[in-house]
Amino acid sequence: MPKSDHPKVAAADHDVHELIRHRWSPRAFDPARTVSRADLLRLFEAARWAPSSFNEQPWRFVVVMRDQSLAAWEAVTASLSPTNRSWAAAAPVLVLASIRLTLERTEQANPLAWYDAGQAVALLTVQATAQGLFVRQMEGFDHEHARRVCDVPEGFDPIVMMAIGYAGDPDTLSSDKHRVAERTPRRRRAVGDFVFENTWGRLYQREDA
Ligand SMILES: Cc1cc2nc3c(=O)[nH]c(=O)nc-3n(C[C@H](O)[C@H](O)[C@H](O)COP(=O)(O)O)c2cc1C
């Protein structure tokens, strides 16, 4: 986990678990530090235990490790948008997350597949934090290109690419904007902006506030 005085550690208004405060999404990855299969399997084990509608578990992951298959890694990297490629190329692991579009039980459309996969990835990111690993998710990639190079079958759709690895030196980032962002504290809406009591818009607060 990052040191407590790291600028990315959440300045939480309410007491939350350290893993939640310390999770953040870097762009700078250490290209020299690979991630072992055993460590990656622990991340997917965390994803495995996520809740899902009808316990359908509609998420699927294709893991591409630079140190195991440079060709596969380069093919997947080529699907990234140029901006994402500019930093993600240093990450030792890329993971393509996909969803099953229909329910296994009925073969009807599963409108909750995205929701479920998001929960699985959220657990994965928290487990990564516990292991000293970092994850940055990306929507900016060519989905059809990724489908082709990862051989994602019909009935499944790629949804997000993840860069996984150990945090690196922000000064290695090629973009000025990204170097600044890498050191800028994370900002969030206040809890009072999105949690209401009884009716929408009615502030939810501590009794003793
Ligand atoms: C579904 C999703 C798509 C994202 N796509 C990108 C992306 O294409 N490029 C990028 O640099 N970051 C991307 N991000 C990272 C977000 O910008 C980041 O999570 C957000 O700014 C909050 O920062 P934090 O994760 O450090 O708290 C994405 C995150 C999610 C969850």
Side-chain angles (χ1 to χ4, degrees), residues 8 23-27 84 87 136-140 160 186 188:
K8 292 292 183 181
R23 185 215 60 81
W24 67 282
S25 308
R27 287 194 177 91
N84 281 336
W87 57 265
R136 190 173 184 103
Q137 300 169 60
M138 288 170 271
E139 200 284 324
V160 88
R186 295 184 298 137
R188 290 297 193 271

Side-chain angles (χ1 to χ4, degrees), residues 2 10 35 42 63 71 77 99 106 113-115 120 128 153 157 185 206 209:
V35 187
R42 293 177 66 198
V63 186
T77 305
I99 46 167
T106 59
W114 273 88
Y115 184 91
D157 266 358
R206 285 162 63 139

Side-chain angles (χ1 to χ4, degrees), residues 147-191:
R147 173 193 290 284
R148 228 173 18 256
V149 298
C150 294
D151 219 5
V152 176
E154 221 177 285
F156 292 81
D157 266 358
I159 57 167
V160 88
M161 192 77 80
M162 289 182 270
I164 301 180
Y166 293 94
D169 178 357
D171 288 334
T172 59
L173 293 168
S174 56
S175 147
D176 294 348
K177 212 175 96 192
H178 290 169
R179 279 198 300 279
V180 171
E182 203 74 349
R183 295 184 169 99
T184 306
R186 295 184 298 137
R187 291 161 51 102
R188 290 297 193 271
R189 297 174 207 284
V191 169

Side-chain angles (χ1 to χ4, degrees), residues 45-84:
E45 185 69 29
R48 179 185 175 207
W49 292 101
S52 62
S53 174
F54 292 115
N55 199 19
E56 278 269 336
Q57 306 156 59
W59 49 80
R60 301 290 186 275
F61 300 103
V62 177
V63 186
V64 183
M65 303 166 74
R66 191 179 46 210
D67 65 334
Q68 300 292 307
S69 172
L70 189 58
W73 186 85
E74 281 173 347
V76 171
T77 305
S79 74
L80 301 178
S81 70
T83 309
N84 281 336

Side-chain angles (χ1 to χ4, degrees), residues 56 58 60 99-111 113 154-156:
E56 278 269 336
R60 301 290 186 275
I99 46 167
R100 191 182 207 277
L101 297 168
T102 54
L103 294 161
E104 287 185 50
R105 54 209 299 275
T106 59
E107 283 307 336
Q108 298 297 305
N110 181 5
E154 221 177 285
F156 292 81

